């Protein structure tokens, strides 16, 4: 979940919490006041009935007399009530069904009025009041339906929901505006950080506030200035290094050519066996240095190269690969299988790529080895896979084989100069492709690369 959404819902929850707390307090106060009013109404009802009964009581009333008194009071329509004797047995009732759930309190003094808790019955709120009738041993129980409480409860809930609805309509845009205002400087910082991450190190934060966000903006700008300064130092050092390596590679080629030439002339002479071995060693190491010099120059050219992509048929690639492999004197077998297609590649760079991959593979398989080269279409890309059954690459070295000057051979006596796969990786990157190397010691190595398609090919 985005931080903006979290802030939005946090503010919304805060406003709603305040509303619910205030509403709960207000509703509670309204309900309590309404209950007090209902109790006062019930007390008045009780007093009126007792007053009417008092006008007809002469003292030591019998049950029949109390029944007549009850009928008289009922005729005045003063409300529903019951008359009970001192044992709690019914003497008279205006509507006995209304008192089914009523239980006489255990103790009712002559001077008190007992009012029951409000109970619900068939969605109605009702209360009972119990008092002893003066100068008698009879009890008066009155029934009261809290209609005012019910109406107040219904109206309060309606207004609560209505206010909540309109409050949400007002709070949502306000909350969104506030969350946007709070997070606006943070979003600016995020944009600047993303731009710096993408290499636009000249970008700076423009948040000018005297708070933590402003301090973060200042520190971010200082970090970007320091990063720019360090990058400039690295660029200058890299340019000087490249210039030195390029100059050195160029300068060393001339004497190497002379050494190779004179060594070759010495081989034509009749020499002692020990001298022949020395000349062969001179030629081998001179050629190795010459290849290294050439590879360094190629790698540096690729760093600044702009590739010339053009449509190339997969059949042309098959032809070039077959011609190269047929010219190898080493004893091995190979299989080439390509689906017809048109690839968008730089032909010269692709040849350099293939040459380096196949040279490594041939060194790995030795005699009686096997190479398999396959090509197929996968979605909008063309996949090419080089496989061999050579000695393979250990797992701990697999991630390093594309590093410059890494050979996996500390003696430096092999023909691997540590630049072959780094050249391959750079060429693949220039073609916006992906290089995948899989290997298992003792089973061989598989290198898979992909290129863009450039149209439909006609199978020949």
């Amino acid at each position: 979940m985005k931080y903006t959404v979290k802030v939005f819902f946090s503010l919304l929850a805060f406003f709603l919490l305040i509303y619910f707390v205030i509403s709960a307090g207000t509703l509670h106060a309204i309900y309590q006041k309404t209950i007090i009013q209902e109790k006062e109404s019930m007390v008045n009802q009780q007093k009126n009935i007792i007053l009417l009964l008092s006008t007809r009581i002469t003292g030591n009333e019998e049950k029949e007399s109390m029944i007549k008194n009850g009928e008289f009071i009922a005729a005045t329509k003063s409300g529903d009530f019951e008359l009970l004797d001192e044992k709690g047995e019914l003497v008279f009732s205006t509507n006995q069904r209304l008192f089914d759930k009523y239980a006489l309190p255990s103790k009712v003094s002559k001077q008190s009025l007992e009012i029951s808790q409000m109970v619900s019955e068939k969605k109605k709120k009702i209360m009972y009041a119990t008092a002893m009738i003066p100068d008698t041993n009879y009890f008066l129980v009155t029934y009261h339906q809290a209609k005012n409480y019910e109406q107040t409860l219904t109206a309060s809930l309606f207004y609560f929901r209505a206010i909540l609805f309109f409050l949400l309509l007002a709070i949502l845009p306000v909350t969104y505006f506030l969350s946007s205002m709070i997070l606006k400087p943070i979003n600016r910082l995020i944009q600047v950080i993303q731009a710096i991450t993408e290499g636009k190190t000249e970008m700076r934060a423009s948040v000018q506030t005297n708070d933590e966000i402003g301090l973060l903006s200042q520190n971010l700008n200082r970090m970007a200035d320091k990063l720019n300064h360090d990058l400039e130092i690295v660029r200058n050092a890299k340019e000087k290094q490249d210039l030195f390596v390029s100059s050195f590679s160029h300068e060393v080629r001339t004497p190497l050519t002379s050494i190779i030439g004179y060594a070759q002339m010495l081989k034509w002479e009749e020499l002692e066996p020990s001298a022949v071995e020395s000349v062969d060693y001179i030629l081998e190491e001179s050629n190795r240095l010459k290849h290294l010099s050439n590879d360094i120059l190629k790698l540096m050219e690729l760093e600044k190269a702009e590739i010339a992509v053009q449509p190339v048929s997969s059949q042309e690639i098959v032809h070039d690969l077959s011609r190269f492999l047929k010219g190898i004197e080493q004893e091995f077998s190979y299989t080439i299988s390509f689906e017809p297609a048109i690839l968008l590649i730089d032909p010269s760079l692709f040849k350099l790529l293939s040459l380096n991959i196949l040279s490594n593979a041939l060194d790995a398989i030795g005699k009686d080895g096997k190479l398999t080269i396959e090509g197929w279409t996968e979605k909008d890309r063309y996949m090419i896979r080089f496989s061999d059954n050579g000695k393979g690459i250990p797992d701990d070295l697999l991630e390093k084989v594309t590093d410059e000057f890494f050979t996996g051979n500390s003696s430096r006596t092999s023909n691997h100069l540590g630049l072959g796969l780094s050249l391959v990786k750079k060429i693949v990157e220039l073609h916006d492709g992906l290089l995948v190397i899989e290997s298992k010691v003792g089973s061989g190595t598989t290198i898979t690369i992909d290129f863009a398609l450039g149209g439909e090919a006609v199978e020949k």
Side-chain angles (χ1 to χ4, degrees):
M1 182 184 291
K2 288 187 176 181
Y3 192 67
T4 307
V5 179
K6 292 181 181 178
V7 172
F8 172 79
F9 281 110
S10 298
L11 289 174
L12 182 61
F14 174 74
F15 288 132
L16 291 178
L17 179 63
I18 292 177
Y19 172 72
F20 283 126
V21 170
I22 295 174
S23 299
T26 305
L27 290 174
H28 179 73
I30 292 173
Y31 294 159
Q32 291 299 318
K33 185 177 180 180
T34 306
I35 290 174
I36 292 173
Q37 292 175 349
E38 294 290 354
K39 288 182 177 181
E40 291 176 351
S41 175
M42 193 170 194
V43 169
N44 292 331
Q45 179 186 356
Q46 185 90 350
K47 288 181 178 179
N48 289 337
I49 295 175
I50 289 177
L51 182 62
L52 290 173
L53 286 171
S54 299
T55 59
R56 297 180 61 83
I57 293 175
T58 59
N60 297 323
E61 301 294 322
E62 297 293 334
K63 183 175 181 180
E64 290 76 10
S65 176
M66 290 304 296
I67 291 174
K68 290 180 180 180
N69 291 338
E71 291 174 347
F72 171 76
I73 302 299
T76 64
K77 296 183 178 180
S78 299
D80 293 304
F81 65 93
E82 278 188 346
L83 297 177
L84 306 176
D85 61 15
E86 58 184 352
K87 296 180 180 179
E89 295 180 356
L90 179 65
V91 175
F92 176 82
S93 177
T94 56
N95 188 345
Q96 189 175 353
R97 181 181 57 82
L98 298 177
F99 295 86
D100 288 342
K101 295 185 178 181
Y102 171 74
L104 185 68
S106 58
K107 292 182 180 180
V108 179
S109 65
K110 293 183 179 181
Q111 304 298 327
S112 66
L113 175 67
E114 298 292 334
I115 300 176
S116 69
Q117 295 292 329
M118 188 180 294
V119 295
S120 298
E121 183 178 351
K122 296 181 179 180
K123 298 182 179 180
K124 294 179 181 179
K125 300 294 183 180
I126 57 176
M127 301 170 70
Y128 299 97
T130 306
M132 183 168 280
I133 301 172
D135 301 325
T136 69
N137 291 324
Y138 292 92
F139 296 98
L140 170 66
V141 181
T142 55
Y143 168 91
H144 178 73
Q145 181 182 348
K147 293 182 179 179
N148 187 34
Y149 178 84
E150 294 172 359
Q151 294 172 354
T152 302
L153 178 63
T154 303
S156 299
L157 291 176
F158 171 78
Y159 286 118
F160 171 78
R161 292 172 183 141
I163 293 173
L164 177 60
F165 174 74
F166 289 108
L167 189 64
L168 282 174
L169 292 180
I171 285 179
L172 286 174
V174 171
T175 304
Y176 178 78
F177 174 75
L178 289 176
S179 61
S180 299
M181 290 294 295
I182 293 172
L183 295 173
K184 189 175 182 180
I186 297 178
N187 290 329
R188 288 180 184 172
L189 293 179
I190 292 174
Q191 292 174 357
V192 172
I193 292 172
Q194 288 176 340
I196 293 175
T197 304
E198 294 170 358
K200 301 175 183 177
T201 55
E202 72 281 356
M203 291 289 292
R204 294 294 181 272
S206 59
V207 179
Q208 304 294 333
T209 56
N210 297 321
D211 54 18
E212 290 80 358
I213 302 298
L215 181 61
L216 178 62
S217 173
Q218 294 174 10
N219 289 330
L220 177 63
N221 288 338
R222 292 193 190 102
M223 182 190 72
D225 292 338
K226 181 67 166 57
L227 179 62
N228 244 354
H229 176 70
D230 293 344
L231 285 175
E232 188 63 29
I233 294 175
V234 172
R235 289 191 193 100
N236 292 335
K238 183 68 166 58
E239 289 178 0
K240 292 178 181 179
Q241 178 183 332
D242 290 346
L243 180 61
F244 169 77
V245 173
S246 177
S247 300
F248 179 80
S249 298
H250 276 290
E251 292 298 326
V252 81
R253 290 174 72 182
T254 301
L256 279 175
T257 303
S258 300
I259 292 172
I260 292 171
Y262 284 117
Q264 189 64 50
M265 291 175 63
L266 286 174
K267 286 195 67 174
W268 297 338
E269 301 292 333
E270 293 183 2
L271 302 174
E272 297 292 330
S274 58
V276 172
E277 182 178 351
S278 300
V279 171
D280 288 340
Y281 181 78
I282 292 172
L283 278 173
E284 181 181 348
E285 290 301 306
S286 298
N287 282 316
R288 190 176 72 85
L289 289 174
K290 184 178 180 181
H291 290 316
L292 176 60
S293 174
N294 291 335
D295 284 347
I296 290 174
L297 290 175
K298 289 175 185 176
L299 187 61
M300 296 185 66
E301 289 173 0
L302 287 176
E303 292 290 339
K304 303 176 182 179
E306 293 184 2
I307 61 175
V309 174
Q310 64 186 61
V312 176
S313 169
S314 60
Q315 301 303 316
E316 294 180 33
I317 296 175
V318 171
H319 175 72
D320 290 340
L321 292 174
S322 299
R323 187 172 58 179
F324 171 76
L325 292 173
K326 288 178 181 177
I328 304 297
E329 296 181 357
Q330 180 177 327
E331 294 181 4
F332 67 97
S333 62
Y334 66 89
T335 303
I336 303 177
S337 175
F338 274 53
E339 289 183 3
I342 299 296
L343 286 68
L344 292 177
I345 59 175
D346 183 314
S348 59
L349 291 182
F350 183 82
K351 289 180 181 179
L352 179 60
L353 175 147
S354 303
L355 174 63
N356 280 280
I357 293 177
L358 292 174
S359 296
N360 286 341
L362 290 170
D363 287 339
I365 62 176
K367 293 183 179 180
D368 301 324
K370 184 177 180 180
L371 293 177
T372 302
I373 309 173
E374 302 169 285
W376 70 94
T377 303
E378 189 172 296
K379 295 183 179 179
D380 59 342
R381 307 290 291 181
Y382 195 85
M383 315 298 294
I384 299 179
R385 181 164 59 204
F386 298 83
S387 303
D388 65 65
N389 63 345
K391 53 191 176 183
I393 304 171
D395 292 339
D396 58 332
L397 303 181
L398 196 57
E399 294 182 357
K400 303 177 182 179
V401 293
T402 56
D403 294 346
E404 297 174 8
F405 300 105
F406 179 81
T407 65
N409 185 347
S410 59
S411 66
R412 296 282 183 179
T413 57
S414 70
N415 291 327
H416 291 286
L417 304 175
L419 289 174
L421 289 179
S422 61
L423 287 171
V424 171
K425 180 181 178 182
K426 186 62 182 177
I427 294 171
V428 173
E429 289 175 351
L430 290 172
H431 284 83
D432 295 325
L434 182 65
L435 172 66
V436 178
I437 302 176
E438 299 170 302
S439 186
K440 185 176 181 181
V441 175
S443 298
T445 302
T446 299
I447 298 178
T448 307
I449 52 179
D450 69 311
F451 297 95
L453 290 170
E456 298 182 355
V458 179
E459 188 171 359
K460 297 181 180 179

